[in-house]
PDB file of all heavy atoms in Angstrom:
ATOM      1  N   ASP A  82      41.429 -94.871 -54.637  1.00  0.00           N
ATOM      2  CA  ASP A  82      42.340 -95.980 -54.324  1.00  0.00           C
ATOM      3  C   ASP A  82      43.222 -96.318 -55.524  1.00  0.00           C
ATOM      4  O   ASP A  82      44.421 -96.580 -55.366  1.00  0.00           O
ATOM      5  CB  ASP A  82      41.547 -97.221 -53.903  1.00  0.00           C
ATOM      6  CG  ASP A  82      40.831 -97.050 -52.571  1.00  0.00           C
ATOM      7  OD1 ASP A  82      41.151 -96.094 -51.812  1.00  0.00           O
ATOM      8  OD2 ASP A  82      39.925 -97.869 -52.284  1.00  0.00           O
ATOM      9  N   HIS A  88      53.077 -95.552 -58.804  1.00  0.00           N
ATOM     10  CA  HIS A  88      53.181 -95.345 -60.250  1.00  0.00           C
ATOM     11  C   HIS A  88      53.907 -96.487 -60.963  1.00  0.00           C
ATOM     12  O   HIS A  88      53.666 -96.710 -62.156  1.00  0.00           O
ATOM     13  CB  HIS A  88      53.859 -94.008 -60.557  1.00  0.00           C
ATOM     14  CG  HIS A  88      52.957 -92.850 -60.290  1.00  0.00           C
ATOM     15  ND1 HIS A  88      52.058 -92.377 -61.209  1.00  0.00           N
ATOM     16  CD2 HIS A  88      52.790 -92.093 -59.178  1.00  0.00           C
ATOM     17  CE1 HIS A  88      51.377 -91.367 -60.690  1.00  0.00           C
ATOM     18  NE2 HIS A  88      51.797 -91.171 -59.452  1.00  0.00           N
ATOM     19  N   ARG A  93      48.394-100.533 -62.094  1.00  0.00           N
ATOM     20  CA  ARG A  93      47.848 -99.192 -61.901  1.00  0.00           C
ATOM     21  C   ARG A  93      47.096 -98.649 -63.122  1.00  0.00           C
ATOM     22  O   ARG A  93      45.972 -98.171 -62.974  1.00  0.00           O
ATOM     23  CB  ARG A  93      48.942 -98.210 -61.480  1.00  0.00           C
ATOM     24  CG  ARG A  93      48.400 -96.830 -61.119  1.00  0.00           C
ATOM     25  CD  ARG A  93      49.535 -95.884 -60.685  1.00  0.00           C
ATOM     26  NE  ARG A  93      49.011 -94.662 -60.122  1.00  0.00           N
ATOM     27  CZ  ARG A  93      48.625 -93.615 -60.831  1.00  0.00           C
ATOM     28  NH1 ARG A  93      48.732 -93.632 -62.149  1.00  0.00           N
ATOM     29  NH2 ARG A  93      48.144 -92.533 -60.237  1.00  0.00           N
TER      30      ARG A  93
END
Side-chain angles (χ1 to χ4, degrees):
D82 292 345
H88 286 274
R93 186 179 190 276

